[in-house]
Amino acid sequence: MTRAVAYPPTEWVPASPSNYTASNRPSSYPVTHVVVHVTQETYADTLAIFKNPAKKVSAHYVVRSADGHIAQCVSERNVAWHAGNWTYNTRSIGIEHEGWVDEPEYFTDAMYRQSALLTAAICDRYGISKDRQHIIGHNEVPGATHTDPGRYWDWSRYIRMVNFT
């Protein structure tokens, strides 16, 4: 099934409907944040996890390391289950990045560039400030048990790219 996605060029790779909550955002919940994740899996395995109804997890987007290719897995109007905190899930867009927190070689120029373009478009669409108070790491979500995106994620570079794309 082909479908229009919120940010071209992305590929629509839908998550299982069992792995997110149908909604009508931003009417039902205002979108106020972008949450940056690192998959701790390969790109292909992440997409497979999101398609598996038993996993109970998803994100709106997944960015591939090698070339920055973006898959959209959950419509932005729906609530992806990515942050581990219901309030943050309802009010954020989740972007997963292929890689591992302790392997900085996965954080390629192509990944940063495409992710920054995506984040800038999301911020523009919802009127989100392009700063570290509104573009946060998974580890910064209240109650988070995850450490991603980790110490090798270059926040200064990323925020600069989001603001100057």
Side-chain angles (χ1 to χ4, degrees), residues 2-165:
T2 316
R3 160 188 166 125
V5 292
Y7 174 80
T10 59
E11 175 185 6
W12 178 245
V13 183
S16 168
S18 298
N19 293 343
Y20 62 88
T21 300
S23 188
N24 190 27
R25 298 185 319 162
S27 298
S28 54
Y29 301 100
V31 178
T32 60
H33 288 81
V34 174
V35 179
V36 173
H37 301 266
V38 173
T39 61
Q40 298 296 108
E41 295 284 348
T42 66
Y43 176 85
D45 285 350
T46 300
L47 296 177
I49 288 167
F50 291 173
K51 287 178 170 289
N52 182 339
K55 294 297 186 176
K56 306 298 183 204
V57 66
S58 63
H60 294 93
Y61 297 95
V62 182
V63 185
R64 190 165 54 206
S65 174
D67 57 4
H69 179 80
I70 301 169
Q72 183 174 3
C73 302
V74 176
S75 169
E76 290 181 8
R77 73 173 180 208
N78 294 323
V79 178
W81 300 344
H82 62 94
N85 174 314
W86 178 249
T87 300
Y88 273 74
N89 282 343
T90 61
R91 290 170 172 75
S92 65
I93 301 295
I95 304 174
E96 287 279 3
H97 297 83
E98 178 186 27
W100 284 262
V101 296
D102 57 349
E103 296 182 32
E105 61 272 17
Y106 277 91
F107 305 149
T108 64
D109 290 340
M111 174 185 278
Y112 275 117
R113 184 172 45 257
Q114 293 305 310
S115 179
L117 287 168
L118 173 61
T119 296
I122 292 165
C123 289
D124 290 345
R125 190 164 31 261
Y126 297 105
I128 300 170
S129 297
K130 297 175 183 176
D131 59 33
R132 286 286 287 120
Q133 288 71 46
H134 297 90
I135 303 168
I136 63 172
H138 189 184
N139 62 312
E140 296 170 299
V141 172
T145 59
H146 291 239
T147 61
D148 59 304
R151 65 184 174 131
Y152 294 114
W153 185 261
D154 190 341
W155 279 111
S156 296
R157 175 184 184 193
Y158 189 66
I159 295 299
R160 187 172 50 253
M161 292 174 82
V162 168
N163 278 281
F164 297 104
T165 56

